[in-house]
Amino acid sequence: MTAILEMRSVSKSFVGVQALRDVSFTVEAGEIHALVGENGAGKSTLMKVLSGVYPYGRYEGQIIFEGEERRFRDINDSEALGIIIIHQELALIPLMSIAENIFLSHAPSRFGVIDRDEVYRRTQQLLAQVGLKESPDTLITDLGVGKQQLVEIAKALSKRVKLLILDEPTASLNEADSQALLDRLVSFREQGISSILITHKLNEVARVADRITVLRDGRSVDSIDCRAEPVLEDRIIKSMVNRDMAHRFPERQPKIGEPVFTVENWSVYHPQHTDRQVIKNVDFMVRRGEIVGIAGLMGAGRTEFAMSLFGRSWGVNIAGRARLEGHDVHLTSVPAAIDAGLAYVTEDRKQLGLVLADDVRKNITLASLAQVAPRGVIDDIAELKAASGYRGRMRIRCSDVYQEAGQLSGGNQQKVVLSKWLMTDPKVLILDEPTRGIDVGAKYEIYCIIQELADAGRGVVVISSEMPELLGICDRICVMNDGAFVGEFAGSEATQEKIMRAIMRNEAIKNQETAA
């Protein structure tokens, strides 16, 4: 097949860091090419070179697109040729309509005035092309994340895309939305549109990719033609991390003690729809040294339950009894929850877990300022010492603790968030989707940290949408559906089938009650 893109011997360095080292990368016309690697392997840097975010002159090497060398000055140059990148953080304006978002920068006009009828008509065509039935007037804020992803793709199609780059497109999607998005990519391939898919979900790679390129430490280390040879996850993982990953989860010999945190008859109502009960009088318990998983489908109430416990961060009319180490605790605010010994690692580390514009040092000490400001004024030496200690302990890869958190890879950002909460010395740590958007190598490191926390006598609660993850690291798994716990299994006895059966059994009971 003919190559639509060739990147030849591309190198890119930052101060003290060689991000790309002589990388060559080719995409054929009408193929889906997967680009995989650990966080920090150079995937995003390579795509920023391609899309003009890093302009010509700030990297070494050549970009050949449609048979000609291209020297992009900015992202507008690449988009003009049909190279469109969709980032993991969607670039949509929530309070504007679908049509307004799609044609925000290039609306059709007549005599200098936007032709709204033409905008509406073309938006309808684009939505049909990506499989959306919504009206062009629908506000983005009224769409789920999966449909917002499709709006981003429709926006790319409006710019006559020839090469579509998707960066972790399914990281925040449920299974159904992920399948729909991947099916759409396959249909684009049939229309002759080339795609570059950046993802950590190797099952998706195996399903849709025509070829796979693996990056490690800024180098291209492996290339697989999925049409000519079988796609073996073990081979991809070994290429990514340069070690055998036969054991994807650390071995564990738990030492579980007495209950450290119990919740009785916990009830939470929706903050906007105050007559709707979201968490329905649940009982929950975690023991000292135990890792308890909470499984469930999207919308089961897992995050709402965790946030309501952590200082009533979510919900209204919260009622129930919480006991920590045998004593009643009143978790009426976030400071009260922290003082009681609770910590919560949010599922959205970029929006809620970190101050991305601040450095690693400040993010680590943010929840424990009293420890580094004994007289109300921050002691810079004490803060530096504390942050440096956690940097070493958690193996955070950064130039120094003065590096901005937003410049770190996803795995290292997650370690900064964990460090922030470990500095509060919690008795119970709740981790909400702790490995979302993190590569397999960094996942293993996070699993080791979770196990170390439990071995130190803390109670650990893990909420995850990845069932193999829960089965691999948890001592006990509780199954949640529709705001209630509907099943519980010992880690050694749990299977994906048992968990799904508990959920489906509860759904069947609900449907019978609704029919009655």
Side-chain angles (χ1 to χ4, degrees):
M1 294 181 70
T2 304
I4 188 174
L5 169 72
E6 290 182 71
M7 301 184 75
R8 299 175 180 170
S9 302
V10 175
S11 297
K12 170 68 179 171
S13 61
F14 301 96
V15 178
V17 178
Q18 187 72 34
L20 295 173
R21 305 168 188 264
D22 197 32
V23 175
S24 293
F25 179 69
T26 304
V27 178
E28 296 174 354
E31 81 162 349
I32 300 174
H33 196 129
L35 187 61
V36 300
E38 291 190 272
N39 289 107
K43 305 184 299 296
S44 295
T45 302
L46 186 65
M47 292 302 100
K48 286 178 180 179
V49 167
L50 172 59
S51 59
V53 174
Y54 298 139
Y56 178 75
R58 297 191 181 179
Y59 62 88
E60 298 173 6
Q62 290 179 297
I63 298 174
I64 311 297
F65 187 72
E66 294 187 315
E68 295 183 29
E69 183 177 358
R70 310 293 181 173
R71 298 180 175 182
F72 300 133
R73 295 165 298 178
D74 54 33
I75 198 167
N76 292 324
D77 283 358
S78 63
E79 286 193 350
L81 291 178
I83 301 172
I84 311 295
I85 184 168
I86 299 176
H87 298 281
Q88 188 175 348
E89 290 81 22
L90 302 181
L92 298 173
I93 300 174
L95 295 180
M96 293 182 73
S97 69
I98 294 174
E100 289 168 332
N101 271 277
I102 288 177
F103 289 103
L104 186 62
S105 63
H106 55 290
S109 61
R110 297 179 64 188
F111 308 111
V113 179
I114 292 175
D115 187 341
R116 294 192 175 276
D117 290 338
E118 180 67 6
V119 168
Y120 194 93
R121 184 186 65 80
R122 287 177 59 182
T123 301
Q124 284 182 312
Q125 293 175 346
L126 292 166
L127 294 182
Q129 200 170 345
V130 299
L132 279 178
K133 298 179 180 179
E134 273 70 16
S135 165
D137 292 328
T138 304
L139 296 181
I140 293 297
T141 191
D142 295 331
L143 300 176
V145 178
K147 291 183 177 180
Q148 289 184 24
Q149 281 278 15
L150 293 177
V151 171
E152 279 279 23
I153 293 175
K155 186 165 70 171
L157 294 175
S158 75
K159 299 175 182 178
R160 294 176 173 81
V161 61
K162 297 176 182 176
L163 176 60
L164 182 63
I165 306 165
L166 298 108
D167 189 358
E168 295 290 348
T170 63
S172 301
L173 304 187
N174 60 32
E175 190 67 25
D177 287 340
S178 296
Q179 295 280 20
L181 181 60
L182 295 174
D183 289 342
R184 198 57 52 189
L185 278 188
V186 173
S187 71
F188 292 157
R189 176 174 61 192
E190 295 167 356
Q191 298 171 34
I193 298 174
S194 303
S195 301
I196 298 174
L197 176 63
I198 301 173
T199 182
H200 293 308
K201 298 182 179 180
L202 300 185
N203 60 319
E204 295 179 354
V205 170
R207 183 186 161 206
V208 302
D210 297 304
R211 286 194 297 151
I212 302 168
T213 293
V214 183
L215 294 185
R216 184 178 72 240
D217 297 330
R219 293 187 174 91
S220 174
V221 296
D222 199 3
S223 180
I224 303 169
D225 188 338
C226 308
R227 298 158 295 191
E229 55 185 309
V231 181
L232 302 176
E233 286 193 11
D234 287 346
R235 172 181 169 180
I236 299 172
I237 293 170
K238 189 171 184 179
S239 296
M240 287 170 60
V241 301
N242 197 27
R243 62 179 182 272
D244 186 6
M245 292 290 288
H247 303 290
R248 296 194 191 179
F249 304 99
E251 294 184 4
R252 175 161 165 75
Q253 295 181 341
K255 297 178 181 178
I256 298 173
E258 70 280 2
V260 64
F261 183 56
T262 58
V263 176
E264 300 171 6
N265 202 31
W266 197 258
S267 172
V268 183
Y269 286 79
H270 195 283
Q272 278 80 46
H273 310 286
T274 53
D275 59 339
R276 178 183 156 207
Q277 189 176 10
V278 178
I279 305 302
K280 302 174 180 178
N281 310 96
V282 304
D283 296 333
F284 179 75
M285 179 261 293
V286 58
R287 298 177 178 87
R288 193 181 301 279
E290 184 180 34
I291 302 173
V292 179
I294 301 182
L297 302 177
M298 190 79 70
R302 298 168 301 165
T303 293
E304 291 82 357
F305 175 57
M307 292 184 70
S308 69
L309 290 173
F310 189 61
R312 307 194 176 194
S313 303
W314 190 92
V316 296
N317 301 326
I318 299 173
R321 184 184 189 188
R323 293 172 63 82
L324 197 60
E325 294 186 322
H327 303 289
D328 285 342
V329 287
H330 303 287
L331 310 173
T332 53
S333 66
V334 170
I338 294 172
D339 290 343
L342 220 58
Y344 171 61
V345 175
T346 175
E347 64 176 333
D348 188 344
R349 59 179 170 269
K350 291 181 182 291
Q351 294 293 326
L352 302 176
L354 295 167
V355 181
L356 294 175
D358 264 345
D359 57 36
V360 170
R361 169 192 51 137
K362 290 182 179 178
N363 273 282
I364 289 176
T365 60
L366 190 59
S368 310
L369 290 177
Q371 295 185 36
V372 295
R375 296 178 180 84
V377 178
I378 292 177
D379 182 335
D380 290 339
I381 301 301
E383 186 178 47
L384 175 62
K385 184 177 180 181
S388 298
Y390 278 100
R391 177 197 177 194
R393 174 182 171 187
M394 303 293 280
R395 299 179 290 278
I396 300 170
R397 298 175 188 171
C398 56
S399 56
D400 53 45
V401 295
Y402 296 102
Q403 185 176 357
E404 283 187 10
Q407 296 176 352
L408 303 183
S409 67
N412 286 299
Q413 286 181 352
Q414 192 72 332
K415 291 178 185 179
V416 173
V417 178
L418 283 168
S419 298
K420 175 179 71 174
W421 290 116
L422 289 183
M423 192 170 171
T424 67
D425 193 25
K427 298 178 178 68
V428 176
L429 184 64
I430 303 172
L431 305 168
D432 197 348
E433 302 289 359
T435 63
R436 174 173 285 169
I438 294 176
D439 62 79
V440 289
K443 279 184 178 183
Y444 189 87
E445 292 186 341
I446 297 293
Y447 298 150
C448 290
I449 291 167
I450 291 172
Q451 184 169 308
E452 289 168 8
L453 296 174
D455 291 344
R458 292 178 170 88
V460 181
V461 180
V462 177
I463 299 169
S464 178
S465 299
E466 296 186 32
M467 286 197 207
E469 180 170 86
L470 294 177
L471 296 171
I473 66 173
C474 294
D475 304 310
R476 182 163 51 94
I477 298 175
C478 299
V479 184
M480 181 170 264
N481 190 56
D482 193 30
F485 287 111
V486 297
E488 181 178 316
F489 305 96
S492 58
E493 299 173 357
T495 64
Q496 294 193 43
E497 290 75 16
K498 287 181 179 179
I499 292 171
M500 286 306 301
R501 196 175 296 124
I503 294 171
M504 293 301 107
R505 185 168 56 244
N506 181 255
E507 286 290 330
I509 293 171
K510 277 195 328 183
N511 292 336
Q512 290 173 3
E513 292 174 348
T514 301

